[in-house]
Amino acid sequence: MDNFNNKKSEEIFVEAQKYIPGGVNSPVRAFKSVGLNPIFVERAKGSRLFDVDGNEYIDFICSWGPLILGHSNEEVSKGIEEVLARGTSYGVPTAIEVEMAKLIVESYPSIDMVRMVNSGTEATMSALRVARGYTGRNKIIKFEGCYHGHADSLLVKSGSGTITFGVPTSPGVPEGTVKDTLVCTYNDMDSVRKVFEENPEDIAAVIVEPVGGNMGVVPAEKDFLQGLREITKEFGAVLIFDEVITGFRVAYGGAQEVYGIEPDMTCFGKIIGAGLPVGAYGGKKAIMEMVSPLGPVYQAGTLSGNPLAMYMGLRNLNILKNNPEIYSNLEEKAIKFEKAMNAVIEELDVEVTVIRFKAMLCTFFAKGTFRNFSEVMKCDTEKYAIFFREMLKNGVLFPPAQFEGLFLSAAHTNEDIDKTVEIFKNALKVAFNK
Ligand SMILES: *Cc1c(COP(=O)(O)O)cnc(C)c1O
């Protein structure tokens, strides 16, 4: 569309780049991998996002996950003014923190105790420290393509070969910090067993996204998660599910409920804060008793359990808990969306694959299987970029990167989906010259 106007966004971006590295406070927001400059948001409501130039979008980013009930949901924020009026942070405990902890513990049978933090990054970083303190071991296993936030020890890629000692993915991460991070292949138990057998006494924890949500959407196979459960037991390592995306999203009880597999520790973020900065980690009593001040493993936070964040998060979780049909409705919508996109893909005969797990969706620009990071890498990111730009200019905000999932919310209507699919079809035609 030629009448797409983003003049104000472009102006703000020029200013932004003077004062903020790359003009953004988190890299994906720069829209770099789709060859555009970012749009700047003015407001959002339900499934819709409005930018500073007055463009309206059907939003499939939804803050990358926290907004399962849609933007600025009034049921979630109701009463927040009163909380605000009582004060925004105290540095001494509040009752609502206990309510939040109780709700999480009651909702997840694998969790006996939980500690609140301020982001998903803090949750995984802290969980790993506790797992290391608990086992008295140093090494951890993570999987290529799984993202667990930006803590140093997790910013690793695998080097060559199947058993891989970590190589930093970012300057500023010392090799010494990642030397204890072993990288295995997602959905590949052989790669995990090999590493355990070579380091039988040294592995403190295995951390995994039970549904990969940061390399597009790559669900774990049930046998794989079951295998991780068994091998960690066998070798005395802690199994950590990073449910920062999947927690309270794929089901109220998270991926662990869907798969029926209990980890030793779980990390949360995103949905539990309803759009305010929150994270949490919890797990079995014996492990969580290691956390300071009860135990010797130090972990703290000036704003942890912040009353505004607890209030919004708790309201969000209570709505989800009391309205289980939200999950079936979301999944129904996701299935409808999946089917409609697949019909278009078939009709146009283009190399695109829709992956869906519950209400998590993604569109890979390639055909074949998508079981791990290297399989995902076959996608045509240039075609995705053309497609993304066409979607954006016609009022649909897809993830500005091929390797991110789509986020549906309860606020997305059937009409939103129908309209999106129509625009999707035209955008594919442009991307594939059809
Ligand atoms: C988003 C995410 C994180 C990091 O959370 P932040 O709040 O961005 O620090 C960690 N793990 C997973 C699986 C995530 O999706």
Side-chain angles (χ1 to χ4, degrees):
M1 239 172 31
D2 297 329
N3 59 357
F4 177 73
N5 172 14
N6 59 345
K7 192 163 165 286
K8 276 193 190 161
S9 279
E10 294 285 354
E11 282 169 13
I12 297 172
F13 191 51
V14 170
E15 278 290 282
Q17 286 170 287
K18 289 185 205 164
Y19 306 110
I20 306 171
V24 293
N25 283 313
S26 197
V28 72
R29 295 181 201 168
F31 286 30
K32 236 177 164 172
S33 76
V34 288
L36 272 189
N37 289 334
I39 52 164
F40 282 74
V41 180
E42 185 168 273
R43 67 192 166 87
K45 183 78 194 161
S47 63
R48 303 299 170 119
L49 187 136
F50 301 85
D51 71 15
V52 289
D53 289 287
N55 299 305
E56 177 178 344
Y57 307 93
I58 303 172
D59 179 22
F60 291 95
I61 295 179
C62 286
S63 184
W64 298 112
L67 309 176
I68 192 168
L69 299 176
H71 288 283
S72 49
N73 183 298
E74 279 156 30
E75 274 307 304
V76 177
S77 59
K78 196 164 145 189
I80 188 108
E81 300 83 358
E82 286 163 44
V83 180
L84 184 62
R86 291 201 301 268
T88 50
S89 182
Y90 310 107
V92 284
T94 54
I96 194 167
E97 295 165 68
V98 186
E99 261 186 83
M100 176 61 115
K102 189 174 171 198
L103 185 76
I104 292 175
V105 166
E106 285 175 353
S107 305
Y108 283 70
S110 70
I111 300 178
D112 300 322
M113 280 178 160
V114 62
R115 171 60 68 83
M116 303 308 300
V117 292
N118 302 291
S119 68
T121 295
E122 264 190 78
T124 57
M125 180 186 80
S126 308
L128 286 169
R129 185 183 307 140
V130 173
R132 282 168 158 157
Y134 174 72
T135 55
R137 300 171 174 183
N138 288 332
K139 293 191 190 303
I140 57 165
I141 291 178
K142 86 172 280 286
F143 296 92
E144 193 178 23
C146 283
Y147 177 68
H148 306 290
H150 64 91
D152 280 357
S153 68
L154 291 164
L155 288 184
V156 293
K157 60 179 176 227
S158 54
S160 54
T162 39
I163 306 169
T164 41
F165 295 94
V167 181
T169 43
S170 167
V173 176
E175 273 164 35
T177 305
V178 295
K179 80 171 188 342
D180 288 325
T181 305
L182 308 169
V183 185
C184 292
T185 306
Y186 200 69
N187 277 324
D188 179 357
M189 266 318 287
D190 291 343
S191 74
V192 179
R193 177 156 289 281
K194 208 164 173 190
V195 169
F196 264 105
E197 280 169 359
E198 297 207 353
N199 304 273
E201 309 269 301
D202 301 326
I203 294 169
V206 173
I207 186 166
V208 65
E209 283 182 83
V211 179
N214 289 283
M215 48 173 156
V217 172
V218 178
E221 284 152 15
K222 183 163 184 181
D223 286 352
F224 173 63
L225 289 185
Q226 191 62 49
L228 293 181
R229 178 63 286 178
E230 282 159 17
I231 203 164
T232 44
K233 274 211 174 111
E234 182 185 336
F235 286 90
V238 174
L239 179 61
I240 304 172
F241 276 6
D242 179 351
E243 296 231 38
V244 170
I245 285 185
T246 52
F248 299 98
R249 172 168 291 276
V250 296
Y252 183 74
Q256 50 197 275
E257 177 186 300
V258 177
Y259 284 95
I261 295 170
E262 284 199 0
D264 302 306
M265 296 185 84
T266 303
C267 299
F268 296 107
K270 299 188 171 128
I271 285 178
I272 65 164
L276 289 179
V278 180
Y281 65 97
K284 299 256 176 355
K285 193 155 181 268
I287 300 173
M288 291 304 288
E289 279 178 346
M290 293 298 291
V291 180
S292 179
L294 188 56
V297 177
Y298 191 70
Q299 190 273 308
T302 302
L303 296 176
S304 295
N306 174 268
L308 292 173
M310 291 299 100
Y311 183 81
M312 289 269 285
L314 196 57
R315 283 192 71 87
N316 205 34
L317 296 188
N318 272 316
I319 292 170
L320 295 171
K321 180 182 168 187
N322 297 328
N323 300 278
E325 73 282 1
I326 287 172
Y327 290 99
S328 42
N329 290 343
L330 260 180
E331 187 173 6
E332 234 170 76
K333 244 180 297 182
I335 292 172
K336 175 187 155 83
F337 196 13
E338 176 191 29
K339 279 190 180 153
M341 285 195 285
N342 275 332
V344 169
I345 290 163
E346 207 167 299
E347 184 191 331
L348 298 179
D349 189 23
V350 288
E351 303 269 291
V352 177
T353 306
V354 180
I355 301 288
R356 183 184 66 78
F357 183 89
K358 295 289 174 180
M360 284 172 74
L361 284 159
C362 104
T363 51
F364 283 127
F365 275 50
K367 289 284 190 196
T369 56
F370 299 89
R371 296 176 60 252
N372 57 45
F373 185 70
S374 52
E375 287 191 356
V376 160
M377 283 298 115
K378 68 190 165 208
C379 289
D380 188 335
T381 54
E382 275 169 36
K383 280 207 169 51
Y384 183 83
I386 300 169
F387 160 82
F388 170 86
R389 296 197 290 265
E390 204 57 29
M391 294 289 273
L392 184 85
K393 288 175 184 179
N394 287 286
V396 179
L397 185 56
F398 257 39
Q402 164 72 97
F403 304 112
E404 303 282 356
L406 298 172
F407 288 94
L408 271 181
S409 80
H412 286 77
T413 60
N414 282 325
E415 292 72 52
D416 287 336
I417 306 263
D418 291 342
K419 191 168 172 206
T420 299
V421 172
E422 214 181 285
I423 295 166
F424 175 81
K425 182 171 176 178
N426 286 319
L428 284 186
K429 281 186 183 167
V430 173
F432 289 90
N433 287 318
K434 291 272 178 174

